[in-house]
Amino acid sequence: MNSNRKLVAMMLCLALIAIVVACAPAPTTAPTAAAPKPTEAPKPTAPPAAAKQTLVVYTAKEPDEIKDYLEIAKKELPDLELEVLRLSTGDLTARLLAEKNNPRADVIWGTAATSMIIFENQGMLEPYAPKGVESILPTFKSPKSPPTWVGVDAYETAFCFNTDVAKKQNLPKPTSWADLTKPVYKGQIVMPNPASSGTGYMFVSSVLQGLGKDKGWAFLDELDKNMAQYTKSGSKPCKLAGTGEFAVGISFGFVGLGLKKGGAPLELIWPTEGAGFEVEANALVKGTKKVDAAKKFLDWAIGDSAMKAYAKYFAIMAKGGFPPPEGYPTDIAAKLFKMDHQWSSDNRDAVLKEWTTRYSAKAEK
Amino acid sequence: MNGSATSVLAAPSVVDSRLSRQRVHQRLGVEGLLIRLLITLFAVWLGAFLVLPLLQVLLRSLQSKTGEFVGLANYVAYFATPAISRALGNSLYVSIVSMVVTVGLALVYAYALVRTTMPGRGILRTLAMLPIFAPSLMQALAFIYIFGNNGIFTRLTGINIRLYGSTGIIMSEVFYAFPHVLIVLITAFSLADARLYEAAQALGASSRRIFFTVTLPSIRYGLISAAFVAFTLAITDFGAPKVVGGDYDVLATDIYNKVIGQQDFGMGATISVLLLIPAVLAFIIDRIVQRRQVAQVTASSTPLGPKRHGRVTQAVFFAYCLLIVGFILSVYGVVLVGAFAKNWPYDFSFTLKHFDFYSMGGYKVLWNSLQMATITALIGTILVFCSAYLVEKTKVWAQGRSVVYLLSIMPLAIPGTVLGLAYIFSFNDPRSPINFLYGTMGILVLSTIVHYYTVPYLTATTALKQIDPEFEAIGASLDAPFYRTFWRVTVPMALPAIISIAMYFFLNAMVTISAAVFLFVPGKELAALAVMLLDDSGESAQAMAMSSLIISIGLGARVVFYLLTRGIERRSQAWTRR
Amino acid sequence: MSSKESYLRIVHITKTFGTFVALNDVSLTVNEGELVCILGPSGCGKTTLLRIIAGLEEQNVGEIYQSGKDISRLPPRQRDFGIVFQSYALFPNLTAAENIAYGLENRRVPKEKIRARVAELLTLVGLPNSGPKFPSQLSGGEQQRIALARALAVSPGLLLLDEPLSALDARVRVALRLEIKRLQRHVGVTTIFVTHDQEEALVLADRIVVLNRGRIEQVGTPEEIYRSPATTFVADFVGLMNFLPGRAGDRPDRVYCDRLELRCADLHRLAPDTPVTLAIRPEDVRVSHIDPSAPNLVRGRVRETEFLGSFYRVTLTLDGVETARLIAEVSTNEIRDQSICPGMTLPVSLPPDLLRVYPEFARVSQ
C-alpha cells in the first residue's frame, strides 16, 4: 500500500512539475506569450524594475522579415513585449473588421494600404503622426493630417519561374500577363487568392485597372483555365514554383530573390505590362488602451533602423536613400504599373465578391 | 434474476401495482448530497461547454450576418449555390471511399496480426501505430513531396497521380485513420470466440468458408465500429483537405474558410450543422451496434489465439504487412529528409535551418503545445475518471447519472471544427460570463478536453466495470466515506487505465488543430497549428521540421507513459500475481 | 433463544425490479446473537433482502428496525453492519492487515490499537502470519477468512454474509462453515447468512428462513425445517423427499394413494377426495426389519439400485400405485443382508408418523 501511495504522489508531483515548468517563461528569442498571470516572474532579459508592457501587433508582413525586424525591436524597445499575429492580408483584414467592436490589436503594422483605407472608412483607426513622418513620401501615407496610416515600403508583382521544370516540360518563359493565358501553361500556374492575400489582390487590381473591367475579367477567366491553385498566402506560389511543384508562381519580387539565393532554380520576371504594387503601412487602432506604448512602437516602425531593415527586403521604399536589395534590377521603379490605390480600396469588396463567385473553387482551403 | 425465474413468477406475483411505483427513499446524508452535487457539477460543466456552444451554432445558422433571425435562409442560400454546396457531396464521397479503403486495408492487417503466426507481429503492430503521433496534415505534406507534380515518385516513374483533390485527401485520410481502425479491428478479432472456429473446422469447412461464415460475422460489430471511426475521422478532418485539397471543397475546410477567411459566421454555422448531421448519424448507428455487441460476448466464450497458416499464405500476409509498414515508414522518412534537407528537391545537403521557426517565434509554439497537452492530460484525466466513477460506481440519482453519461459520450460525434466555432460563439462575446477565457490557454485546454472526452470516458468506464462492484458496499459498511475508498482502492486499481487516459489526452492535444484553429490568439499558437500556418506561407520544410518535433515529443511521451505503466505494474505485481 | 431480545425486525418489506417482484411482503425478526440462515434457490430474493438490510438497495415498502431504531431510510454508511460477499471483495491493493485495518482507520482508532486489533483478528481467523500478504497471495478460503476478520474488525452489531462459501471448493467449504459457526458463537454477533445450500443452512443456523419467489415459506430451527417442512416447496428444497399424489380419506388420519389406503399421523381436515400430496423422506421408507403388524405395509418391487457409498438408493414401485415411484435409502449392510437386487419384491413400510400430507399438488423438481 505504502509504495502505491508513494507512486500516486510521485505522479502528481511529476504532473505539478510539468505544469510549473510549462507556465514558467519560455526561453525564446521572438515575441513571447503573455505570462498566464501578471504575477509571474519577470522575463530573464527584462530590467528588474520596469514591468514590460504587452502590445498586440497585427501584421501581414512575411514571417522571415518579421524575424529580422523583431530582433531590432527587441533591442530598441526593451520595455515593450510584442505579441505579433501574422496573417495573410485578406485574413487579417477580415479579422480586424470582425473585431471592430471589440478590437484586440493595439497597432496594425505592415499591412496593405488598400486595407488601411477600408479601416479608415470604418472609423477603426486613430490618426497619429509618428516621429519622422514628414520624411515619408506623400504617396505613401494617408492624405489626412495627422495621417491615419503611414506607409513604409511597397512590394510589387513578380512571376517566379522554375527553369528546371521549364526545361523538362519544354515551357517557354512568360514575360507578360498575356503570356500566362497560353494553353502551354495549363495546370502550371499558381497565384495567391486575392480574398486572402494582398499580393493576390494587388495583381487582380492591377489587371482590372490596366485592362478595364470587361477585358480584365475576360483575361482572368482565361488565366483561371491555366490556374492550378489559388493559395492563401502571397509568397506560397513562389515557394511552390521554387520546389518545382508548379512552373510559374505569381507572387512578389523579394520572396523569389530569396529563394533563388537559397538555391532554387528560379527566374524572376516583372511583367511587361507593368508590375502592380502595394504599399505596406502602419496605423494606430482606435480604442486601444495602450496608446503610449503603441505610439512608441509606431515611431520606431518608421525610424531609421527599422527602415534600413525593411530596405533589405524591399526595393520600393517610402523614403529615399536606400539601395535596392541584391538581385533587384536598378530600374525597378520603371517596371511598376501605375496603381490607383483609392480605386483598389473602393472596389475591393465588389472585386472580391465577383472573383469569389467566378473562381473560388480552386482556392486553397 | 434470470429469465426463466421471471416467467415462472409471472403468475403468482400478486403485488399491488401501486407498490412497485413506491420507494422508500434513503436519507441523503452529507455524502449523498456531495455525490449529487458532484454529478450536478459534471452535468453543468458538460452542458456549459458542450451543449450550450452547440446550441449557439444551431442558433447562428438561423441568423444573418448581422444577427437577425432569417429562418432557413442560410441553408437555402447554401444549397442554391452549387459551387458551394458541392462540398457536402464531396465530403461524403471522400469519407465513404476512405472508410472502405481504410477498413479493407486494416482488416487484412489486423487479421495477419491476430490470427497468423508470422514473425515480427509485435513490431509490425507498433509501427502501424505511428500515424497517431503526427498531426493530420503532416502526411498530406509528405504526399506532396512524394506524389506531387515534382515529387520523388512522380519524377522517378514519370507517373503523376494527380494528387491534388480527392486522391490526395483520400490517401491522407486512409493514412491518418489506419491505426485507429486497426486498434478496433484487432480488438474485434481478439474477442471472437475460438469455439466457433473449432466447430467449423471439425465440420471440415475450408478456410475461405470459415472466413466468410465465421470470421466476418463474428467481427461484424467491430467492423461497423471501425467503419464509424474511419468515416468520422475522414469527414471531420481538416488538415489533409487543407493541404492537398486543391480545388476540391469539403465541409470541414469550408467552415474554416467561411469563418476565418470571410468572417461569415452565419454560413460557417450553417455548414457546421450540415457537417454535424452525417457525423451524428454515424455516431448513433455505432452506439446501437455497440449495445448489441455487449450481448454477443458471453462469459463462456474462449478467446482465439494466433494459428499457423500455410507457408504461402503466411508469407503473403507478411509481405502485405511489410508493404504497409514500409509505406508508413517512407512517409516518415520523407518528412525527416524534408526537415533536414537544405532545399528540397534540389539540394539535399544537411541543414538545421528549418528548425529555426523564426516566423513562429522559435520554439515557443512547441512549448505552448507541451504546456497545453500536459494541462489537458492532467485536468482531462481527473475530470474523465471522476465523472466515470460517479456514473459507474455511485448509487444515488440514476437520472442525474444517465444525463452525465449521455453528455459524456456525445463529444465523439462532434467534429473539432464545429466545436471550435461553437466556442467562438460562446466565448468571444463580451456579454458571455466566460468571455475572460477567450484567447487564453484555458480555452484551448477546455476545447481539447471536450473534443477528446468520449474515448477516455469509455476507457475509464470499462476499467471501473472490471473492479468488484462490492467495494463501495464494503467501504460503506466499514464507515469509509466514498471518496476514501475511491482514493485508496479504486484509483490505485485503475492506475493503468488512468495512465492510458492521460496519454490519450496528451497525444491528441499535441496533434489537434481542428478546434484550436478557431481559438488560438497571438502568442498562443500550438505546434500543430504552426505546421498549418507554416504550410500556408509555403514553408513546407519548416512545417516538416515542426511535424518531426511533434512526433518526437509524442514518441517521447509514449516512452514515459510506458515506463510509468511498467513501474506501476511492477509495484502492483505483489497484488496481481499469485 | 427466546430469552434473548429481538435485535433486528423486518416489517412488510416489498421490493420490485420493474415488473419483477423480488420480495413480497417479507417480515422477520432476528434475535440478538442469533445466526439466521436465509435459504432459497437462486432468484428467490434472499440476496435482495440482505442488501436491503444493508441499505444497498431501497425497498418499495416496509421498515427495518435495528435494536429498536428505525433504519429504513438510513444510507448504508449510517447503518451498523459488517458484510462479507461471495467474491470476498478484499481490496487487492491492500495487504490482509491493511484490509482488516481499513474500517478501524475510518474510525480514527489510534495506530497501536489498530495494530493490536488486527493481530487479534488474524489470530481469531487462524491466519496469524498472513498480515503482510496481499489477497492474491492467499487461497480462496484464506481470503474469505480475512474478509470475515475485516467485517468483524469494527465490531458491528450485525454481520451479513452473502453466500460467503459458494466460491470455495467443497472441502474448504465444509471446514470454513464450522469455523464461521465457531467465530459467530465466540463473538456473539447477530448474523444473517444467505445461502442456497441447504446443508450449509442446516449445519450453521440457529434458525432457517426459507424464501421462495420473494415470500417466506417457513421459519424454524433446522430440525423443524427438515422434519416438518411447512410446504411442499420446503420439503422439496431441504433434503430429498418422495412425493406421491393422493386424495384425502374420509377420516383425518386416512389418505389414499391410488388404490392404496394409508394411515397418517399428520391429520388433515379436508373433505374426502380432495387432492393432496403425500411426502416421505427416502431414509424414512423401511424395507427391512419390518414388524409384520406395522401399519402402511405395502408390497414393493425393486426397479433400480444406485450405489452411493455408505448407502444405496433404491427405486421402488408399489403394488396398487401405478402413478409414482418411491425412493428409499437403504444402508449397504441391509442390502447385503437381504441381497436386494432389481426385480425382487419385498415388503415396504411407510411409517404413519413420518408421512406428511399437503393439501396441494407438489411441483416436484426431482
Side-chain angles (χ1 to χ4, degrees):
Chain A
M1 163 59 214
N2 232 348
S3 58
N4 262 301
R5 194 183 242 171
K6 257 189 228 152
L7 191 66
V8 172
M10 195 184 76
M11 284 185 51
L12 284 178
C13 283
L14 264 180
L16 269 176
I17 290 167
I19 291 185
V20 171
V21 169
C23 292
T28 162
T29 53
T32 26
K37 276 179 246 149
T39 48
E40 283 298 335
K43 306 280 177 286
T45 50
K52 279 199 176 190
Q53 200 161 9
T54 307
L55 201 62
V56 177
V57 181
Y58 279 18
T59 182
K61 278 189 163 294
E62 288 294 318
D64 19 2
E65 304 170 39
I66 296 173
K67 171 187 131 194
D68 282 3
Y69 306 154
L70 285 181
E71 253 164 49
I72 300 167
K74 207 172 176 189
K75 265 185 242 136
E76 298 183 358
L77 301 169
D79 49 348
L80 288 189
E81 181 76 52
L82 300 177
E83 264 188 14
V84 179
L85 176 69
R86 193 268 154 189
L87 284 175
S88 63
T89 309
D91 287 3
L92 195 73
T93 307
R95 186 163 183 137
L96 276 160
L97 286 172
E99 291 176 356
K100 197 171 102 183
N101 299 323
N102 192 16
R104 298 193 167 268
D106 299 310
V107 289
I108 308 170
W109 178 36
T111 299
T114 309
S115 296
M116 288 296 191
I117 295 169
I118 297 171
F119 301 148
E120 184 181 354
N121 291 340
Q122 296 276 332
M124 291 159 61
L125 304 182
E126 185 71 45
Y128 170 63
K131 249 183 263 164
V133 68
E134 54 291 340
S135 61
I136 301 289
L137 299 171
T139 48
F140 279 82
K141 58 190 172 193
S142 97
K144 299 224 173 82
S145 179
T148 40
W149 51 269
V150 177
V152 288
D153 52 37
Y155 51 93
E156 81 298 338
T157 303
F159 303 159
C160 297
F161 182 58
N162 188 310
T163 49
D164 175 59
V165 175
K167 209 163 40 183
K168 261 191 218 150
Q169 309 206 9
N170 245 340
L171 298 176
K173 172 178 156 184
T175 57
S176 62
W177 302 347
D179 281 354
L180 296 180
T181 57
K182 290 180 181 158
V184 67
Y185 297 114
K186 186 161 173 51
Q188 291 289 2
I189 306 177
V190 213
M191 75 169 264
N193 182 343
S196 59
S197 154
T199 312
Y201 184 64
M202 161 175 88
F203 176 70
V204 170
S205 180
S206 65
V207 165
L208 291 175
Q209 288 179 35
L211 298 177
K213 262 192 187 160
D214 297 341
K215 274 187 160 170
W217 283 113
F219 168 80
L220 291 173
D221 282 346
E222 287 302 304
L223 185 63
D224 182 61
K225 288 179 190 157
N226 283 347
M227 198 58 61
Q229 252 178 46
Y230 296 103
T231 66
K232 194 176 254 301
S233 107
S235 60
K236 193 174 182 184
C238 198
K239 289 170 181 163
L240 287 174
T243 60
E245 196 57 24
F246 301 98
V248 185
I250 303 176
S251 190
F252 57 95
F254 184 73
V255 61
L257 289 175
L259 290 168
K260 207 171 152 182
K261 220 192 292 172
L266 285 180
E267 187 168 337
L268 269 275
I269 298 153
W270 288 270
T272 51
E273 289 93 339
F277 73 97
E278 173 69 273
V279 172
E280 286 189 318
N282 312 332
L284 179 61
V285 175
K286 189 177 260 174
T288 171
K289 293 190 186 85
K290 297 167 186 159
V291 180
D292 289 343
K295 286 183 174 171
K296 206 186 273 176
F297 176 80
L298 290 171
D299 291 349
W300 169 85
I302 64 163
D304 282 344
S305 56
M307 289 301 264
K308 222 160 93 191
Y310 305 148
K312 278 198 232 150
Y313 293 90
F314 291 87
I316 313 159
M317 294 297 296
K319 250 202 286 204
F322 297 100
E326 196 192 319
Y328 256 103
T330 40
D331 61 338
I332 181 72
K335 293 178 187 274
L336 294 184
F337 180 83
K338 186 136 180 34
M339 297 285 285
D340 179 347
H341 287 112
Q342 190 64 42
W343 186 96
S344 297
S345 179
D346 293 346
N347 292 285
R348 188 171 182 269
D349 266 358
V351 168
L352 289 185
K353 202 169 168 216
E354 180 69 24
W355 191 90
T356 307
T357 25
R358 282 179 191 245
Y359 317 121
S360 74
K362 280 186 194 166
E364 188 185 51
K365 301 311 169 307
Chain B
M1 316 288 152
N2 55 36
S4 65
T6 325
S7 62
V8 172
L9 256 172
S13 80
V14 279
V15 166
D16 191 333
S17 67
R18 274 169 305 175
L19 289 186
S20 59
R21 262 172 273 134
Q22 259 173 285
R23 182 133 306 180
V24 174
H25 287 289
Q26 285 178 1
R27 260 175 250 151
L28 273 181
V30 181
E31 265 178 63
L33 274 175
L34 182 58
I35 291 173
R36 274 181 181 239
L37 182 72
L38 287 173
I39 291 174
T40 311
L41 281 180
F42 274 110
V44 168
W45 177 73
L46 285 165
F49 293 105
L50 178 68
V51 180
L52 285 186
L54 288 175
L55 286 180
Q56 289 258 28
V57 173
L58 201 63
L59 202 67
R60 286 293 183 102
S61 77
L62 304 174
Q63 289 178 353
S64 73
K65 250 183 171 177
T66 48
E68 291 128 37
F69 180 82
V70 292
L72 295 175
N74 284 327
Y75 294 90
V76 173
Y78 182 83
F79 285 106
T81 326
I84 306 176
S85 59
R86 205 175 37 202
L88 179 59
N90 285 350
S91 266
L92 289 174
Y93 172 75
V94 292
S95 309
I96 290 170
V97 175
S98 327
M99 174 183 93
V100 171
V101 175
T102 315
V103 172
L105 288 176
L107 186 68
V108 180
Y109 202 95
Y111 184 89
L113 286 185
V114 180
R115 293 290 166 82
T116 73
T117 53
M118 66 179 188
R121 278 169 290 152
I123 185 85
L124 284 173
R125 181 178 174 155
T126 308
L127 290 177
M129 294 299 144
L130 275 179
I132 281 185
F133 296 93
S136 72
L137 31 65
M138 185 210 79
Q139 64 268 21
L141 285 171
F143 286 157
I144 292 180
Y145 274 24
I146 302 172
F147 299 108
N149 293 328
N150 206 23
I152 328 164
F153 178 85
T154 317
R155 277 190 298 167
L156 287 179
T157 61
I159 303 167
N160 190 334
I161 64 163
R162 305 267 157 233
L163 181 73
Y164 297 95
S166 56
T167 314
I169 298 179
I170 290 169
M171 283 173 64
S172 305
E173 300 305 355
V174 169
F175 189 92
Y176 172 52
F178 186 77
H180 297 270
V181 170
L182 191 63
I183 293 171
V184 177
L185 290 177
I186 287 175
T187 314
F189 272 123
S190 319
L191 283 179
D193 191 345
R195 294 170 308 166
L196 292 175
Y197 289 84
E198 284 156 12
Q201 276 163 350
L203 294 170
S206 70
S207 49
R208 178 170 308 159
R209 181 124 190 267
I210 290 178
F211 184 80
F212 283 105
T213 56
V214 180
T215 310
L216 273 186
S218 72
I219 60 156
R220 61 189 185 276
Y221 297 125
L223 266 182
I224 293 173
S225 246
F228 162 72
V229 169
F231 179 84
T232 309
L233 283 177
I235 201 164
T236 60
D237 181 40
F238 157 84
K242 190 166 185 317
V243 177
V244 288
D247 59 359
Y248 199 81
D249 280 306
V250 295
L251 293 175
T253 49
D254 253 15
I255 298 174
Y256 176 76
N257 281 342
K258 288 287 177 301
V259 171
I260 297 298
Q262 300 166 21
Q263 302 282 321
D264 185 346
F265 291 96
M267 195 46 91
T270 306
I271 304 172
S272 294
V273 174
L274 292 173
L275 178 56
L276 261 178
I277 292 170
V280 169
L281 273 181
F283 170 76
I284 291 172
I285 293 171
D286 184 58
R287 289 317 301 174
I288 293 171
V289 169
Q290 289 294 325
R291 205 165 297 166
R292 295 223 183 126
Q293 184 173 20
V294 177
Q296 189 198 23
V297 182
T298 58
S300 61
S301 58
T302 330
L304 191 63
K307 173 183 144 272
R308 182 169 288 283
H309 286 57
R311 274 250 304 263
V312 178
T313 322
Q314 204 113 302
V316 169
F317 275 124
F318 188 58
Y320 172 84
C321 293
L322 280 186
L323 199 71
I324 289 198
V325 160
F327 187 74
I328 291 172
L329 286 179
S330 50
V331 167
Y332 273 67
V334 164
V335 171
L336 281 182
V337 174
F340 288 107
K342 206 164 183 184
N343 190 6
W344 178 285
Y346 296 108
D347 182 356
F348 285 100
S349 53
F350 178 84
T351 177
L352 284 174
K353 71 170 181 180
H354 304 310
F355 285 84
D356 186 332
F357 307 126
Y358 48 79
S359 59
M360 289 297 137
Y363 284 81
K364 185 189 62 183
V365 289
L366 266 180
W367 200 246
N368 283 346
S369 267
L370 209 57
Q371 178 182 346
M372 199 279 267
T374 310
I375 299 175
T376 300
L378 192 74
I379 298 179
T381 308
I382 292 172
L383 286 176
V384 155
F385 193 76
C386 291
S387 65
Y389 172 83
L390 285 172
V391 170
E392 203 49 50
K393 293 285 183 185
T394 63
K395 294 267 173 199
V396 299
W397 204 22
Q399 299 97 312
R401 284 185 290 133
S402 56
V403 167
V404 172
Y405 177 80
L406 211 69
L407 292 178
S408 301
I409 58 169
M410 225 167 86
L412 196 59
I414 313 300
T417 32
V418 177
L419 194 68
L421 184 57
Y423 273 34
I424 294 193
F425 291 154
S426 311
F427 291 88
N428 194 17
D429 183 341
R431 288 164 306 172
S432 159
I434 40 182
N435 176 243
F436 70 93
L437 274 173
Y438 187 73
T440 63
M441 195 56 95
I443 192 173
L444 292 171
V445 168
L446 260 174
S447 72
T448 312
I449 291 176
V450 172
H451 185 194
Y452 293 106
Y453 201 76
T454 306
V455 172
Y457 180 84
L458 294 175
T459 309
T461 302
T462 311
L464 287 169
K465 273 189 201 296
Q466 284 163 357
I467 296 176
D468 195 320
E470 308 296 9
F471 284 166
E472 279 66 35
I474 294 282
S477 80
L478 294 175
D479 209 11
F482 74 93
Y483 45 83
R484 185 150 190 274
T485 308
F486 171 78
W487 182 245
R488 269 199 75 183
V489 181
T490 316
V491 169
M493 288 199 67
L495 221 44
I498 291 175
I499 287 178
S500 77
I501 288 169
M503 187 180 70
Y504 181 90
F505 271 125
F506 185 90
L507 290 182
N508 278 301
M510 281 305 295
V511 300
T512 186
I513 53 165
S514 52
V517 76
F518 289 104
L519 302 174
F520 79 96
V521 290
K524 300 288 187 290
E525 295 96 342
L526 302 174
L529 278 173
V531 174
M532 184 194 91
L533 296 172
L534 286 167
D535 170 63
D536 264 352
S537 51
E539 301 289 357
S540 19
Q542 286 191 46
M544 292 199 165
M546 187 62 85
S547 299
S548 55
L549 289 179
I550 293 173
I551 294 164
S552 317
I553 290 180
L555 291 174
R558 187 75 190 74
V559 171
V560 169
F561 280 115
Y562 172 74
L563 292 178
L564 265 182
T565 315
R566 274 273 303 276
I568 283 164
E569 272 166 7
R570 202 172 314 137
R571 276 161 195 272
S572 63
Q573 253 172 12
W575 48 272
T576 52
R577 197 186 52 191
R578 277 216 160 187
Chain C
M1 301 288 146
S2 52
S3 62
K4 297 251 180 124
E5 302 260 309
S6 90
Y7 181 73
L8 183 77
R9 214 146 53 79
I10 296 164
V11 187
H12 299 303
I13 293 282
T14 293
K15 170 73 180 171
T16 61
F17 294 104
T19 56
F20 175 76
V21 184
L23 291 173
N24 192 348
D25 196 17
V26 169
S27 296
L28 178 68
T29 302
V30 180
N31 295 324
E32 182 143 22
E34 196 181 17
L35 197 164
V36 167
C37 275
I38 301 180
L39 175 67
S42 66
C44 72
K46 54 189 189 302
T47 293
T48 307
L49 181 58
L50 192 85
R51 295 181 73 88
I52 286 175
I53 295 170
L56 301 173
E57 300 278 356
E58 289 176 337
Q59 68 273 30
N60 296 66
V61 199
E63 294 98 54
I64 303 167
Y65 300 88
Q66 186 172 359
S67 48
K69 198 174 116 198
D70 184 357
I71 59 162
S72 325
R73 288 164 49 77
L74 294 183
R77 217 190 128 195
Q78 293 176 26
R79 301 191 188 192
D80 178 20
F81 69 94
I83 192 163
V84 175
F85 292 103
Q86 180 181 341
S87 63
Y88 325 133
L90 286 178
F91 303 135
N93 58 320
L94 307 185
T95 62
E98 284 166 342
N99 264 287
I100 297 172
Y102 195 79
L104 299 168
E105 283 166 12
N106 294 322
R107 304 214 163 146
R108 299 183 194 285
V109 178
K111 276 206 166 138
E112 311 81 72
K113 277 197 180 168
I114 293 183
R115 213 170 298 139
R117 176 84 174 130
V118 168
E120 179 195 340
L121 282 157
L122 281 169
T123 315
L124 192 64
V125 296
L127 296 169
N129 301 319
S130 295
K133 289 187 182 165
F134 284 104
S136 60
Q137 296 164 318
L138 299 170
S139 72
E142 288 169 334
Q143 288 190 57
Q144 201 55 298
R145 286 163 196 253
I146 298 297
L148 209 57
R150 177 177 66 179
L152 290 173
V154 290
S155 311
L158 184 63
L159 180 62
L160 304 174
L161 305 170
D162 186 8
E163 307 237 13
L165 304 175
S166 305
L168 303 171
D169 332 328
R171 219 170 251 282
V172 181
R173 203 152 60 203
V174 170
L176 197 54
R177 73 185 180 207
L178 289 173
E179 190 83 349
I180 288 178
K181 177 116 177 166
R182 184 184 62 77
L183 260 174
Q184 194 265 340
R185 288 274 177 277
H186 178 84
V187 180
V189 59
T190 311
T191 303
I192 297 180
F193 187 110
V194 161
T195 181
H196 65 273
D197 182 335
Q198 36 123 350
E199 195 179 305
E200 225 164 80
L202 293 173
V203 170
L204 275 174
D206 294 324
R207 273 193 308 150
I208 294 175
V209 177
V210 182
L211 210 58
N212 181 32
R213 290 175 195 163
R215 279 182 182 281
I216 291 182
E217 295 266 343
Q218 187 175 7
V219 180
T221 63
E223 287 77 19
E224 283 164 4
I225 298 285
Y226 191 82
R227 299 268 40 130
S228 333
T231 63
T232 49
F233 173 82
V234 177
D236 184 29
F237 190 73
V238 181
L240 268 180
M241 187 68 98
N242 288 298
F243 289 102
L244 302 168
R247 285 165 289 125
D250 26 14
R251 284 168 48 188
D253 63 344
R254 287 285 190 279
V255 287
Y256 293 98
C257 179
D258 216 343
R259 278 172 286 128
L260 209 66
E261 186 186 8
L262 297 170
R263 199 134 45 97
C264 59
D266 184 13
L267 304 179
H268 65 79
R269 287 171 194 80
L270 299 166
D273 277 348
T274 313
V276 295
T277 299
L278 309 177
I280 186 163
R281 299 227 177 255
E283 70 266 27
D284 294 340
V285 177
R286 302 251 163 89
V287 293
S288 59
H289 310 300
I290 299 172
D291 176 1
S293 64
N296 297 350
L297 204 59
V298 203
R299 275 209 84 70
R301 180 181 287 271
V302 177
R303 294 293 168 183
E304 272 170 54
T305 59
E306 260 180 288
F307 176 56
L308 287 165
S310 61
F311 64 91
Y312 274 79
R313 188 168 285 160
V314 179
T315 309
L316 304 158
T317 48
L318 302 181
D319 278 0
V321 182
E322 316 287 281
T323 47
R325 296 185 165 205
L326 199 63
I327 288 169
E329 278 171 11
V330 186
S331 78
T332 307
N333 294 338
E334 286 171 62
I335 295 275
R336 196 175 46 233
D337 293 349
Q338 301 206 20
S339 42
I340 292 173
C341 61
M344 78 178 279
T345 57
L346 72 180
V348 177
S349 147
L350 308 172
D353 54 328
L354 298 173
L355 186 65
R356 299 196 56 80
V357 180
Y358 297 99
E360 56 184 307
F361 282 118
R363 272 184 292 260
V364 183
S365 61
Q366 305 173 33

